[in-house]
């Protein structure tokens, strides 16, 4: 059965000459057809299914081929690898359920579906939230009550014994950690979430495996094929050369980026913990093997994959080995494979790096969405300084993204806070970045006089003085201190800070993502030190166990938790009903006070003015500006329902925010 005819052509229908890449791609694909055909036959695939996947393959092939040639074309056995990659793709596609294929088709017809204002996310650790996947399924009504339509389950695959870096040291991508359930539980959950209109997000931890992954075990037993999956060195000569230009990521775990392995009598590249072995993507077999794992994960029913630690996946001597061009090409190649084999799947980049580098991962052909670490850091920065000038400068220059891409905005996640703003942005508004980072670290660890925050240092580097910050949203925003001092006025301010930050995250543009627990104002949990597998990593302070009895407080209007929960629920509801909050379009408004942040969000003819007061003192915004920006004289504050007239200047209470819609 001849499945398709590739038209040999030197000009396309617009008369444009076929590029050299396209021609080579076409010839290569022609040579791969016999393998594809024997696959269709052996699997007894229907003709219309073949047509559908071949159509996508042909459309995305020139791009994928070009990327693979760039990365691996010099290898003597390139064509072999090319064929393996294509066959891995079609095998992955073949195992995709019809229900997922249906949603693939819908999404192809609705590009940019993920920029909708209706998407609001939550993240959680299954074991800490609900013990296991079965019980998590029972909590779908809870997610709906809060208004979530996107759920990120922190890594839940089989992990090494002992410390597993919060699930990020995976020993098998195809089995679920038995403590939380089975693969079938995961698939059932995915189906139930789909029915409930909630997107499922899982991690793709592709920079490294655990030291007990099958590949690593094979390497340890001297299997040459698998030794080439990792970076192994007999002595310190090469590692020392690399380390001249590397940054230390987990300096309190171990100095440098390499770990001595006694069994092999070799050094292993380990960017993060010593038991997380970096994969060697110079080896095309690693790309192919991880592609198979990626499609396997996608086929469990995942809508969005969080690409973990993207910055580190390519190494080049003499560089920082972060954000290299080939790292982007690898991700683009995974993206092209997804377009062919699982086109409903989209990517989220986890690049917690300089803002100029963060955006380089974002495009329809690479990661359609990305964490927004700069907005996160600068919201906290504004809260500490009561001054939004650095945040404004960053928003003005860095918020806009290419069409069909979007941010994932967050306040806290399972990781630490690093102060990843641009030093020149800081200089432009009169801030010395070095001193400012020291100030922020002092402020958020509560060392700075008058600070309301209760953060904990993470990865303090004694040589450079660098540090990052751990802590829950509520503890960093002052609630822990206020409760400890039992001061009603401080509690009030802390709650307002929590709501202000959430209102900013929900209105700025992009998918809002909360770390569950935030909806109750959960405080730091210092008990993690009792668990030896967690004690060395302060990020556990902000990963507490869900306390289900909090739900009982929902009816109690006087309770802090009840108030935070209900307020967030309301904000989420409004966000989802306000078309102005879709997409990223944002126009900053000048105000007279640096304590204020004001912007107009607009989409599809719908406009909302957001004004936020980042200080504990009342502020005023002049009514002329509101009239001009909002094109009206009367507004409704969507949050309180109050009518605001522009007959006189508008006052904002401490930490108040307004979401103004013209009436
Ligand atoms: C990512 C994860 C983090 C983990 C690291 C190594 O940054 O968010 O929790 O420690 O990757 O996998
Ligand atoms: C990873 C880690 C995070 C760290 C970052 C540094 O994302 O998870 O903790 O801040 O790398 O680049």
């Amino acid at each position: 059965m001849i499945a398709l005819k590739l038209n040999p052509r030197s000009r396309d229908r617009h008369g444009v000459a076929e590029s050299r890449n396209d021609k080579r791609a076409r010839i290569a694909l022609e040579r791969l057809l016999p393998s594809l055909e024997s696959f269709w036959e052996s699997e007894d695939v229907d003709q219309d299914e073949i047509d559908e996947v071949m159509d996508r393959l042909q459309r995305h092939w020139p791009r994928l081929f070009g990327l693979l040639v760039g990365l691996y074309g010099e290898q003597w056995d390139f064509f072999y690898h090319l064929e393996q990659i294509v066959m891995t793709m079609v095998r992955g596609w073949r195992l995709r359920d019809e229900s997922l294929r249906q949603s693939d088709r819908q999404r192809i017809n609705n590009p940019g579906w993920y920029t909708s204002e209706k998407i609001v996310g939550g993240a959680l650790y299954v074991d800490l939230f609900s013990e296991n996947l079965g019980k998590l399924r029972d909590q779908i009504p809870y997610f709906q009550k809060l208004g979530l339509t996107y759920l990120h389950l922190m890594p839940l695959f089989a992990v090494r014994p002992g410390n597993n870096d919060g699930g990020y040291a995976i020993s098998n991508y195809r089995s679920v950690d038995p403590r939380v359930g089975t693969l079938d539980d995961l698939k059932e959950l995915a189906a139930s979430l789909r029915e409930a209109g909630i997107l499922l997000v899982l991690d793709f931890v592709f920079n490294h495996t655990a030291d007990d992954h099958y590949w690593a075990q094979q390497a340890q037993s001297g299997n040459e094929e698998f030794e080439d999956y990792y970076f192994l060195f007999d002595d310190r000569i090469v590692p020392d050369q690399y380390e001249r230009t590397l940054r230390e990521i987990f300096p309190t775990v171990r100095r440098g980026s390499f770990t001595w392995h006694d069994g092999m009598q070799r050094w292993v590249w380990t960017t993060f913990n010593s038991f997380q072995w970096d994969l060697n993507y110079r080896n095309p077999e690693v790309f192919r093997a991880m592609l198979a794992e990626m499609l396997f994960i996608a086929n469990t029913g995942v809508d969005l994959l969080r690409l973990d630690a993207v910055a580190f996946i390519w190494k080049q001597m003499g560089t920082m080995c972060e954000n290299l061009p080939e790292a982007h090409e690898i991700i683009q190649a995974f993206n092209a494979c997804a377009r062919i084999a699982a086109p409903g799947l989209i990517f989220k980049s986890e690049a917690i790096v300089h803002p100029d580098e963060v955006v380089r991962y974002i495009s329809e052909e690479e990661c359609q969405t990305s964490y927004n670490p700069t907005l996160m850091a600068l919201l906290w920065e504004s809260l500490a300084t009561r001054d939004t000038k650095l945040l404004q400068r960053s928003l003005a220059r860095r918020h806009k993204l290419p069409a069909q891409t979007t941010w994932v905005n967050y306040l806290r996640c399972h990781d630490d806070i690093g102060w990843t703003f641009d030093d020149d942005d800081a200089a432009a508004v009169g801030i010395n970045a070095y001193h400012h980072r020291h100030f922020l670290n002092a402020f958020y660890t509560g060392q700075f006089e008058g600070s309301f925050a209760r953060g904990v240092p993470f990865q303090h580097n004694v040589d450079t003085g660098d540090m990052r910050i751990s802590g829950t949203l509520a503890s960093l925003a002052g609630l822990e201190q206020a409760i400890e001092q039992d001061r009603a006025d401080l509690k009030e301010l802390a709650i307002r800070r929590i709501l202000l930050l959430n209102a900013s995250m929900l209105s700025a543009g992009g998918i809002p993502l909360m770390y569950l627990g935030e909806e109750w104002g959960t405080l730091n949990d210092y008990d993690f030190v009792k668990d030896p597998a967690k004690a060395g990593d302060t990020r556990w302070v902000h990963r507490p166990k869900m306390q289900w009895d909090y739900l009982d407080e929902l009816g109690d209007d006087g309770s802090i938790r009840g108030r935070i929960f209900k307020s967030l629920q309301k904000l989420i509801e409004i966000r989802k009903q306000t078309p102005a909050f879709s997409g990223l379009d944002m126009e900053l408004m000048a105000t007279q006070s640096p304590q204020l942040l004001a912007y107009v969000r607009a989409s599809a003819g719908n406009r909302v003015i957001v004004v936020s007061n980042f200080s504990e003192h009342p502020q005023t915004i002049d009514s002329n500006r509101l009239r001009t920006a909002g094109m009206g004289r009367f507004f409704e504050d969507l949050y309180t329902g109050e009518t605001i007239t522009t007959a006189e200047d508008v006052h904002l209470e401490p930490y108040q925010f307004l979401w103004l819609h013209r009436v």
Side-chain angles (χ1 to χ4, degrees):
M1 173 175 55
I2 299 293
L4 92 159
K5 294 204 181 58
L6 290 159
N7 11 332
R9 56 184 183 200
S10 57
R11 292 186 178 272
D12 70 8
R13 61 201 153 82
H14 307 293
V16 178
E18 189 183 38
S19 72
R20 200 165 68 152
N21 176 67
D22 288 4
K23 181 176 171 189
R24 291 179 173 175
R26 176 170 53 77
I27 294 170
L29 190 54
E30 275 163 3
R31 290 179 177 158
L32 290 168
L33 284 182
S35 307
L36 286 166
E37 274 161 24
S38 63
F39 179 73
W40 311 139
E41 267 166 42
S42 70
E43 293 274 313
D44 200 15
V45 187
D46 291 345
Q47 188 59 44
D48 40 346
E49 283 185 83
I50 299 176
D51 292 346
E52 188 182 359
V53 74
M54 282 309 293
D55 181 57
R56 295 203 299 258
L57 179 60
Q58 274 182 282
R59 180 159 340 136
H60 298 285
W61 177 250
R63 178 163 81 92
L64 176 58
F65 175 81
L67 288 162
L68 295 173
V69 169
L71 288 160
Y72 304 121
E74 301 288 296
Q75 312 235 358
W76 65 272
D77 53 354
F78 174 64
F79 193 79
Y80 165 79
H81 292 292
L82 196 62
E83 178 164 30
Q84 294 297 310
I85 289 168
V86 169
M87 296 318 290
T88 298
M89 250 188 321
V90 294
R91 263 183 239 121
W93 161 80
R94 183 71 185 135
L95 294 171
R96 197 159 171 81
D97 275 0
E98 182 49 31
S99 62
L100 295 177
R101 291 190 188 181
Q102 265 172 24
S103 110
D104 287 342
R105 290 178 204 118
Q106 282 163 8
R107 287 175 185 174
I108 290 175
N109 291 326
N110 183 16
W113 55 271
Y114 37 81
T115 60
S116 160
E117 73 283 5
K118 304 267 191 284
I119 304 184
V120 175
L124 58 85
Y125 272 103
V126 177
D127 56 340
L128 297 172
F129 188 79
S130 62
E131 267 174 65
N132 58 46
L133 287 166
K135 291 192 189 157
L136 188 67
R137 225 169 122 212
D138 300 338
Q139 295 307 339
I140 290 178
Y142 176 77
F143 304 130
Q144 288 173 320
K145 181 185 195 129
L146 186 56
L148 302 185
T149 51
Y150 161 131
L151 193 65
H152 175 199
L153 306 182
M154 301 303 298
L156 44 70
F157 296 105
V159 284
R160 72 191 293 283
N163 186 353
N164 57 47
D165 189 22
Y168 284 96
I170 296 179
S171 43
N172 186 347
Y173 297 83
R174 297 184 186 224
S175 80
V176 167
D177 183 339
R179 285 167 293 195
V180 302
T182 64
L183 208 54
D184 284 336
D185 294 336
L186 176 61
K187 287 187 185 163
E188 273 172 43
L189 173 70
S192 306
L193 288 173
R194 190 168 293 268
E195 231 164 84
I198 300 176
L199 301 168
L200 174 61
V201 184
L202 291 184
D203 278 83
F204 181 40
V205 184
F206 68 123
N207 174 68
H208 46 264
T209 70
D211 55 357
D212 69 344
H213 188 282
Y214 174 76
W215 305 337
Q217 282 180 353
Q218 287 298 306
Q220 284 163 53
S221 62
N223 182 334
E224 236 179 29
E225 185 189 339
F226 290 96
E227 285 175 348
D228 289 344
Y229 271 46
Y230 300 96
F231 297 93
L232 309 177
F233 306 93
D234 293 337
D235 52 42
R236 285 293 312 180
I237 296 176
V238 178
D240 284 342
Q241 285 170 355
Y242 275 116
E243 275 183 357
R244 276 183 216 137
T245 49
L246 292 180
R247 177 167 77 107
E248 290 177 291
I249 304 301
F250 283 175
T252 64
V253 163
R254 165 213 68 235
R255 300 318 301 259
S257 299
F258 299 86
T259 301
W260 175 251
H261 191 274
D262 260 343
M264 292 186 297
Q265 291 286 302
R266 282 165 140 190
W267 291 92
V268 189
W269 197 313
T270 55
T271 298
F272 297 93
N273 289 287
S274 300
F275 49 78
Q276 289 164 303
W277 290 20
D278 287 48
L279 287 163
N280 176 10
Y281 278 92
R282 284 178 187 266
N283 175 0
E285 180 47 24
V286 167
F287 177 83
R288 193 213 56 80
M290 277 316 283
L291 171 63
E293 305 312 274
M294 179 184 97
L295 294 176
F296 183 88
I297 298 171
N299 286 345
T300 61
V302 175
D303 299 286
L304 191 155
L305 273 185
R306 171 190 182 277
L307 269 53
D308 183 58
V310 289
F312 303 93
I313 61 173
W314 193 269
K315 334 281 191 201
Q316 172 73 52
M317 178 72 78
T319 73
M320 265 177 89
C321 300
E322 286 183 48
N323 309 309
L324 292 172
E326 290 85 351
H328 294 280
E329 288 162 19
I330 298 272
I331 301 167
Q332 288 167 21
F334 280 128
N335 173 306
C337 294
R339 300 282 70 68
I340 297 161
L345 181 74
I346 61 161
F347 291 168
K348 172 170 73 166
S349 150
E350 190 243 354
I352 314 301
V353 290
H354 187 279
D356 289 346
E357 298 294 344
V358 173
V359 291
R360 297 206 169 104
Y361 294 91
I362 310 172
S363 75
E364 226 189 327
E365 286 77 37
E366 195 166 332
C367 294
Q368 297 90 338
T369 71
S370 163
Y371 278 104
N372 192 348
T374 314
L375 177 64
M376 181 277 289
L378 292 181
L379 283 171
W380 287 108
E381 189 267 347
S382 299
L383 206 62
T385 57
R386 284 80 161 168
D387 185 329
T388 64
K389 62 179 184 280
L390 184 52
L391 175 56
Q392 288 190 50
R393 182 171 170 92
S394 176
L395 284 171
R397 300 156 57 97
R398 302 180 181 279
H399 194 61
K400 205 171 147 54
L401 291 179
Q404 323 284 29
T405 66
T406 198
W407 291 113
V408 174
N409 295 323
Y410 63 112
L411 302 169
R412 294 296 299 110
C413 66
H414 69 292
D415 277 335
D416 46 290
I417 301 177
W419 306 110
T420 62
F421 54 80
D422 174 53
D423 291 10
D424 292 335
D425 280 355
V429 293
I431 292 174
N432 173 308
Y434 179 82
H435 294 305
H436 203 50
R437 289 197 180 91
H438 276 267
F439 157 71
L440 290 167
N441 282 330
F443 188 91
Y444 280 106
T445 52
Q447 308 295 308
F448 189 82
E449 208 189 314
S451 166
F452 49 74
R454 282 287 170 82
V456 178
F458 178 64
Q459 298 300 331
H460 184 201
N461 185 325
V462 285
D463 294 345
T464 61
D466 276 351
M467 124 185 358
R468 279 117 66 188
I469 302 293
S470 289
T472 65
L473 171 65
S475 287
L476 293 175
L479 191 58
E480 186 177 323
Q481 188 199 58
I483 289 175
E484 205 169 273
Q485 299 182 5
D486 197 17
R487 294 245 320 254
D489 54 339
L490 298 187
K491 287 181 198 166
E492 179 61 28
L493 291 177
I495 294 169
R496 290 189 187 193
R497 285 186 204 104
I498 292 171
L499 298 182
L500 174 79
L501 288 188
N502 274 289
S504 306
M505 165 179 85
L506 283 155
S507 64
I511 300 173
L513 175 60
M514 44 202 292
Y515 186 79
L516 286 178
E518 277 169 24
E519 76 278 27
W520 299 107
T522 302
L523 302 180
N524 285 349
D525 176 4
Y526 299 94
D527 276 351
F528 73 96
V529 294
K530 293 183 187 154
D531 181 343
K534 297 180 174 173
D537 189 331
T538 62
R539 288 175 298 174
W540 289 104
V541 85
H542 54 249
R543 300 170 182 172
K545 226 174 134 117
M546 171 69 179
Q547 307 291 322
W548 286 102
D549 47 358
Y550 290 173
L551 270 176
D552 301 339
E553 293 181 30
L554 249 191
D556 171 6
D557 283 333
S559 95
I560 294 176
R561 293 190 192 108
R563 180 169 158 204
I564 295 176
F565 187 96
K566 282 190 188 157
S567 310
L568 291 182
Q569 197 181 28
K570 184 167 168 191
L571 282 169
I572 291 171
E573 178 66 20
I574 300 169
R575 139 113 192 175
K576 286 161 66 181
Q577 285 172 9
T578 308
F581 289 143
S582 82
L584 293 177
D585 197 34
M586 167 195 280
E587 208 180 295
L588 282 168
M589 277 169 66
T591 71
Q592 310 95 308
S593 5
Q595 293 89 340
L596 292 180
L597 174 69
Y599 46 84
V600 181
R601 296 293 325 280
S603 175
N606 186 270
R607 278 170 95 76
V608 171
I609 306 178
V610 176
V611 188
S612 309
N613 176 8
F614 277 80
S615 96
E616 60 272 69
H617 303 293
Q619 307 293 330
T620 304
I621 182 159
D622 93 66
S623 51
N624 276 325
R625 289 181 210 259
L626 288 181
R627 260 195 309 273
T628 329
M631 287 182 265
R633 285 195 295 137
F634 298 95
F635 296 92
E636 183 198 352
D637 176 14
L638 295 175
Y639 183 59
T640 58
E642 270 173 46
T643 305
I644 310 273
T645 84
T646 52
E648 47 194 49
D649 291 350
V650 174
H651 295 281
L652 283 95
E653 295 294 306
Y655 297 119
Q656 191 186 352
F657 58 88
L658 299 168
W659 283 4
L660 301 178
H661 190 257
R662 203 191 118 148
V663 286

